[in-house]
Short mmCIF file of all heavy atoms in Angstrom, two decimals:
data_model
loop_
_atom_site.label_atom_id
_atom_site.label_comp_id
_atom_site.label_asym_id
_atom_site.label_seq_id
_atom_site.Cartn_x
_atom_site.Cartn_y
_atom_site.Cartn_z
N PRO A 250 9.64 7.26 0.44
CA PRO A 250 9.97 7.24 1.88
C PRO A 250 10.43 8.62 2.33
O PRO A 250 10.87 9.43 1.51
CB PRO A 250 11.11 6.22 1.97
CG PRO A 250 11.73 6.25 0.61
CD PRO A 250 10.60 6.48 -0.36
N PRO A 251 10.31 8.90 3.62
CA PRO A 251 10.75 10.22 4.11
C PRO A 251 12.24 10.40 3.98
O PRO A 251 13.01 9.45 4.11
CB PRO A 251 10.32 10.19 5.59
CG PRO A 251 10.19 8.74 5.94
CD PRO A 251 9.75 8.05 4.69
N LEU A 252 12.64 11.63 3.67
CA LEU A 252 14.07 11.93 3.62
C LEU A 252 14.69 11.81 5.00
O LEU A 252 15.84 11.43 5.15
CB LEU A 252 14.29 13.35 3.06
CG LEU A 252 13.86 13.58 1.61
CD1 LEU A 252 14.19 15.01 1.19
CD2 LEU A 252 14.53 12.58 0.67
N ARG A 253 13.87 12.13 6.02
CA ARG A 253 14.35 12.02 7.40
C ARG A 253 13.16 11.75 8.30
O ARG A 253 12.10 12.36 8.13
CB ARG A 253 15.04 13.32 7.84
CG ARG A 253 15.69 13.26 9.21
CD ARG A 253 16.26 14.61 9.61
NE ARG A 253 15.20 15.57 9.91
CZ ARG A 253 14.59 15.65 11.10
NH1 ARG A 253 14.90 14.84 12.08
NH2 ARG A 253 13.66 16.56 11.28
N VAL A 254 13.32 10.83 9.24
CA VAL A 254 12.26 10.54 10.22
C VAL A 254 12.64 11.21 11.53
O VAL A 254 13.68 10.90 12.12
CB VAL A 254 12.10 9.02 10.43
CG1 VAL A 254 11.05 8.75 11.51
CG2 VAL A 254 11.72 8.33 9.14
N PRO A 255 11.81 12.13 12.01
CA PRO A 255 12.09 12.76 13.30
C PRO A 255 12.19 11.71 14.41
O PRO A 255 11.48 10.70 14.38
CB PRO A 255 10.88 13.68 13.51
CG PRO A 255 10.34 13.93 12.13
CD PRO A 255 10.59 12.66 11.38
N ASP A 256 13.06 11.94 15.36
CA ASP A 256 13.27 10.98 16.45
C ASP A 256 11.96 10.62 17.14
O ASP A 256 11.74 9.46 17.50
CB ASP A 256 14.25 11.54 17.47
CG ASP A 256 15.68 11.62 16.92
OD1 ASP A 256 15.95 10.95 15.90
OD2 ASP A 256 16.49 12.35 17.51
N ARG A 257 11.09 11.59 17.31
CA ARG A 257 9.84 11.35 18.04
C ARG A 257 8.90 10.40 17.29
O ARG A 257 7.97 9.84 17.88
CB ARG A 257 9.12 12.67 18.32
CG ARG A 257 8.56 13.37 17.09
CD ARG A 257 7.89 14.68 17.42
NE ARG A 257 7.25 15.29 16.26
CZ ARG A 257 7.90 15.97 15.31
NH1 ARG A 257 9.21 16.12 15.41
NH2 ARG A 257 7.24 16.50 14.29
N LEU A 258 9.14 10.22 15.99
CA LEU A 258 8.28 9.35 15.19
C LEU A 258 8.96 8.03 14.82
O LEU A 258 8.35 7.20 14.15
CB LEU A 258 7.87 10.07 13.90
CG LEU A 258 7.00 11.31 14.04
CD1 LEU A 258 6.81 11.96 12.68
CD2 LEU A 258 5.66 10.95 14.67
N ALA A 259 10.20 7.84 15.27
CA ALA A 259 10.96 6.66 14.85
C ALA A 259 10.26 5.36 15.23
O ALA A 259 10.15 4.43 14.41
CB ALA A 259 12.36 6.70 15.46
N ASP A 260 9.76 5.26 16.44
CA ASP A 260 9.10 4.02 16.87
C ASP A 260 7.80 3.80 16.12
O ASP A 260 7.51 2.68 15.67
CB ASP A 260 8.83 4.05 18.38
CG ASP A 260 8.29 2.73 18.87
OD1 ASP A 260 9.03 1.73 18.84
OD2 ASP A 260 7.10 2.67 19.26
N ALA A 261 7.01 4.85 15.96
CA ALA A 261 5.73 4.73 15.24
C ALA A 261 5.98 4.31 13.79
O ALA A 261 5.27 3.47 13.25
CB ALA A 261 4.96 6.05 15.29
N MET A 262 7.00 4.86 13.17
CA MET A 262 7.30 4.50 11.79
C MET A 262 7.76 3.06 11.67
O MET A 262 7.39 2.33 10.75
CB MET A 262 8.37 5.44 11.21
CG MET A 262 7.83 6.76 10.71
SD MET A 262 6.66 6.55 9.33
CE MET A 262 7.75 5.98 8.03
N ALA A 263 8.57 2.62 12.63
CA ALA A 263 9.10 1.26 12.58
C ALA A 263 8.00 0.21 12.73
O ALA A 263 8.11 -0.90 12.22
CB ALA A 263 10.16 1.07 13.66
N HIS A 264 6.94 0.57 13.45
CA HIS A 264 5.86 -0.39 13.73
C HIS A 264 4.51 0.08 13.19
O HIS A 264 3.46 -0.39 13.61
CB HIS A 264 5.75 -0.60 15.25
CG HIS A 264 7.03 -1.06 15.88
ND1 HIS A 264 7.91 -0.19 16.49
CD2 HIS A 264 7.60 -2.29 15.96
CE1 HIS A 264 8.95 -0.87 16.94
NE2 HIS A 264 8.80 -2.14 16.63
N ARG A 265 4.53 0.96 12.20
CA ARG A 265 3.33 1.66 11.78
C ARG A 265 2.22 0.75 11.25
O ARG A 265 1.04 1.11 11.34
CB ARG A 265 3.67 2.69 10.70
CG ARG A 265 4.27 2.10 9.42
CD ARG A 265 4.80 3.20 8.52
NE ARG A 265 5.39 2.70 7.28
CZ ARG A 265 6.65 2.28 7.18
NH1 ARG A 265 7.41 2.28 8.25
NH2 ARG A 265 7.12 1.85 6.02
N ASP A 266 2.58 -0.39 10.71
CA ASP A 266 1.55 -1.24 10.11
C ASP A 266 0.92 -2.22 11.09
O ASP A 266 0.01 -2.97 10.71
CB ASP A 266 2.14 -2.01 8.92
CG ASP A 266 2.60 -1.08 7.81
OD1 ASP A 266 1.82 -0.17 7.46
OD2 ASP A 266 3.72 -1.23 7.32
N LEU A 267 1.37 -2.20 12.31
CA LEU A 267 0.86 -3.17 13.28
C LEU A 267 -0.50 -2.79 13.86
O LEU A 267 -1.27 -3.67 14.27
CB LEU A 267 1.87 -3.37 14.42
CG LEU A 267 3.21 -3.97 13.99
CD1 LEU A 267 4.14 -4.11 15.19
CD2 LEU A 267 3.01 -5.33 13.32
N THR A 268 -0.80 -1.49 13.91
CA THR A 268 -2.10 -1.06 14.42
C THR A 268 -2.56 0.19 13.67
O THR A 268 -1.72 0.98 13.20
CB THR A 268 -2.06 -0.70 15.93
OG1 THR A 268 -1.32 0.52 16.11
CG2 THR A 268 -1.42 -1.82 16.76
N PRO A 269 -3.87 0.40 13.55
CA PRO A 269 -4.36 1.62 12.92
C PRO A 269 -3.86 2.88 13.63
O PRO A 269 -3.57 3.88 12.97
CB PRO A 269 -5.88 1.48 13.04
CG PRO A 269 -6.12 0.00 13.05
CD PRO A 269 -4.97 -0.55 13.86
N ALA A 270 -3.76 2.83 14.96
CA ALA A 270 -3.33 4.01 15.71
C ALA A 270 -1.89 4.39 15.37
O ALA A 270 -1.56 5.58 15.19
CB ALA A 270 -3.47 3.76 17.21
N LEU A 271 -1.01 3.39 15.30
CA LEU A 271 0.39 3.68 14.97
C LEU A 271 0.52 4.18 13.54
O LEU A 271 1.33 5.07 13.25
CB LEU A 271 1.24 2.43 15.15
CG LEU A 271 1.63 2.06 16.58
CD1 LEU A 271 2.32 0.69 16.61
CD2 LEU A 271 2.54 3.13 17.18
N HIS A 272 -0.28 3.63 12.64
CA HIS A 272 -0.24 4.06 11.24
C HIS A 272 -0.63 5.52 11.13
O HIS A 272 0.06 6.32 10.46
CB HIS A 272 -1.19 3.18 10.42
CG HIS A 272 -0.96 3.25 8.95
ND1 HIS A 272 -1.62 4.15 8.14
CD2 HIS A 272 -0.15 2.52 8.12
CE1 HIS A 272 -1.23 3.97 6.89
NE2 HIS A 272 -0.35 3.00 6.84
N ARG A 273 -1.71 5.89 11.78
CA ARG A 273 -2.16 7.28 11.75
C ARG A 273 -1.12 8.20 12.41
O ARG A 273 -0.80 9.27 11.88
CB ARG A 273 -3.51 7.42 12.45
CG ARG A 273 -3.99 8.86 12.56
CD ARG A 273 -5.33 8.95 13.26
NE ARG A 273 -6.40 8.47 12.40
CZ ARG A 273 -7.05 9.22 11.51
NH1 ARG A 273 -6.70 10.50 11.36
NH2 ARG A 273 -8.00 8.73 10.77
N GLU A 274 -0.61 7.78 13.56
CA GLU A 274 0.39 8.59 14.27
C GLU A 274 1.61 8.85 13.39
O GLU A 274 2.11 9.98 13.32
CB GLU A 274 0.81 7.89 15.55
CG GLU A 274 1.90 8.63 16.33
CD GLU A 274 2.43 7.83 17.51
OE1 GLU A 274 1.81 6.82 17.89
OE2 GLU A 274 3.49 8.22 18.05
N ALA A 275 2.07 7.81 12.71
CA ALA A 275 3.28 7.93 11.90
C ALA A 275 3.07 8.91 10.75
O ALA A 275 3.87 9.84 10.55
CB ALA A 275 3.69 6.56 11.37
N TYR A 276 2.00 8.71 9.98
CA TYR A 276 1.84 9.51 8.77
C TYR A 276 1.31 10.91 9.02
O TYR A 276 1.70 11.85 8.32
CB TYR A 276 1.00 8.75 7.75
CG TYR A 276 1.79 7.64 7.11
CD1 TYR A 276 1.58 6.30 7.45
CD2 TYR A 276 2.80 7.94 6.19
CE1 TYR A 276 2.34 5.29 6.87
CE2 TYR A 276 3.57 6.93 5.62
CZ TYR A 276 3.34 5.61 5.97
OH TYR A 276 4.10 4.62 5.41
N THR A 277 0.44 11.08 9.98
CA THR A 277 0.03 12.46 10.30
C THR A 277 1.18 13.20 10.96
O THR A 277 1.32 14.42 10.78
CB THR A 277 -1.22 12.50 11.20
OG1 THR A 277 -0.97 11.79 12.41
CG2 THR A 277 -2.43 11.89 10.50
N GLY A 278 2.02 12.46 11.68
CA GLY A 278 3.20 13.09 12.29
C GLY A 278 4.18 13.58 11.24
O GLY A 278 4.72 14.68 11.35
N LEU A 279 4.40 12.76 10.21
CA LEU A 279 5.28 13.20 9.12
C LEU A 279 4.69 14.40 8.40
O LEU A 279 5.41 15.34 8.05
CB LEU A 279 5.49 12.04 8.13
CG LEU A 279 6.33 10.87 8.62
CD1 LEU A 279 6.31 9.75 7.59
CD2 LEU A 279 7.77 11.29 8.91
N ALA A 280 3.39 14.37 8.17
CA ALA A 280 2.74 15.48 7.48
C ALA A 280 2.88 16.78 8.28
O ALA A 280 3.05 17.86 7.70
CB ALA A 280 1.26 15.18 7.24
N ARG A 281 2.82 16.65 9.60
CA ARG A 281 2.89 17.86 10.45
C ARG A 281 4.29 18.48 10.49
O ARG A 281 4.45 19.56 11.07
CB ARG A 281 2.41 17.53 11.86
CG ARG A 281 0.91 17.37 11.94
CD ARG A 281 0.40 17.23 13.38
NE ARG A 281 -1.04 17.31 13.43
CZ ARG A 281 -1.87 16.27 13.33
NH1 ARG A 281 -1.36 15.04 13.23
NH2 ARG A 281 -3.17 16.44 13.36
N THR A 282 5.26 17.83 9.86
CA THR A 282 6.57 18.49 9.74
C THR A 282 6.53 19.55 8.65
O THR A 282 7.50 20.30 8.49
CB THR A 282 7.69 17.46 9.42
OG1 THR A 282 7.44 16.85 8.15
CG2 THR A 282 7.76 16.38 10.50
N VAL A 283 5.44 19.60 7.90
CA VAL A 283 5.24 20.61 6.86
C VAL A 283 4.16 21.57 7.33
O VAL A 283 3.08 21.14 7.75
CB VAL A 283 4.81 19.96 5.53
CG1 VAL A 283 4.61 21.02 4.45
CG2 VAL A 283 5.84 18.93 5.09
N ALA A 284 4.44 22.85 7.28
CA ALA A 284 3.48 23.85 7.74
C ALA A 284 2.39 24.05 6.69
O ALA A 284 2.63 24.68 5.67
CB ALA A 284 4.19 25.16 8.05
#
Side-chain angles (χ1 to χ4, degrees):
L252 295 182
R253 186 184 71 84
V254 177
D256 290 343
R257 68 181 185 282
L258 295 175
D260 186 67
M262 278 298 291
H264 303 97
R265 62 190 180 276
D266 297 313
L267 296 179
T268 71
L271 282 173
H272 196 269
R273 175 180 287 274
E274 177 187 347
Y276 285 105
T277 58
L279 290 173
R281 285 188 170 91
T282 63
V283 180

